[in-house]
Amino acid sequence: MRNVSRETNQFTDDIISCDRRNLDQVTEMLTRLEELVNIHLEAEKHKFIYQDDKMLEMYQTVQENGLEQLQKLANPWLIQLLNRPPNMPMEEETQFLDRVSAIMSHLCGKVAHGPSTTQFTFNNIGTVSIHETTYTEAEIGFQTWGAGILLSKILDEEELDVKGKTVLELGSGTGLAGLVCALCGAKSTWMTDYHPTVLDNLERNVKLNNLEDKIVVKKLDWRTCLDPEQQDPSLKETEFDLVIAADCIFDFEHSRLVPKVSMHYLSKKTEARFHVVITYRLKFKLEVAQFEENMLKEGWTIEKTRYIERHAIAFRYSVYKR
């Protein structure tokens, strides 16, 4: 009899050793993942009530936390594929990325729910409304990640005081932390990202919270923004007292670029600081380690750092100075 629990465990082992540069390996893993996700979702939906006895036996082998297990390990792997797919002809890449996005959406339940508006309530500033899109529309920036929520709480509790300061947020995503900066009294907040749909959604969330007079939304592509000929003049001319970022390391390219981009835009004032919250995920362990090493190589000094655990997820909040 087919044992779905055993297959799920085997898949989570195989995904760690899968070579993301090998298209054949990746394609095989995607096919296995699609099938496993469908089985787990079907089992959850119908609670093992099936007419076919053989199907009933198979679904009885689905462990209760199997879908969580797949989400925990497969989501970071899928994000990496979106950021850097295997080499393939250009005409095939779009179809490949659509497939990865669809699997990710299905795994996260976004196909059923679609775009939605979520309200986050904080002790001091009250409620912030966030419109979230889908993976298919906005890739990584589709939802508010845990590190962004944690950074927002740090802002609300005034451990990070932004009153009267000019703030630049890198990789804003849905924009929660940037919105909280504005509500906490920042002089001006610049929210940045590179994906067109993410930028449109940031504008939407600014309007949703009536913060048009306090927030600027700008495109900032880390891969090109250090080129003098491609720099946005308004960003270049603005002196940022604070640079903030949350969950900004999903790839070795991010590990290399974030230290450079944050150094480039942060004011040279002695009190200027870079605040960053990183989620510690097994899949991105090497990327995060490389980021921390590159920060020191670029001349950053750690002023303070602490580990925070929320719902069995580990985060590191660090403050860097020049």
Side-chain angles (χ1 to χ4, degrees), residues 4-23:
V4 179
S5 176
R6 189 182 298 123
E7 287 185 35
T8 301
N9 290 332
Q10 185 62 54
F11 177 85
T12 56
D13 287 340
D14 292 346
I15 201 173
I16 295 173
S17 59
C18 176
D19 183 356
R20 288 186 290 113
R21 296 166 299 181
N22 187 312
L23 182 58

Side-chain angles (χ1 to χ4, degrees), residues 151-152 155 160-172 175-193 206 213-218 220 234-235 238-246 261-262 265-267 269 271-276 317:
L151 179 56
S152 299
L155 287 159
L160 167 51
D161 185 5
V162 297
K163 289 185 180 70
K165 295 178 180 177
T166 302
V167 183
L168 172 66
E169 182 181 21
L170 301 178
S172 294
L176 179 62
L179 294 166
V180 172
C181 280
L183 292 168
C184 285
K187 180 181 177 181
S188 68
T189 303
W190 295 58
M191 301 200 301
T192 65
D193 216 295
V206 170
D213 60 333
K214 295 182 179 180
I215 293 177
V216 178
V217 174
K218 285 284 183 180
L220 184 64
S234 59
L235 281 167
T238 302
E239 190 171 35
F240 293 103
D241 305 304
L242 294 170
V243 175
I244 64 172
V261 173
S262 51
Y265 285 105
L266 185 68
S267 167
K269 293 178 182 177
E271 65 271 21
R273 295 291 184 271
F274 174 36
H275 294 252
V276 58
Y317 169 47

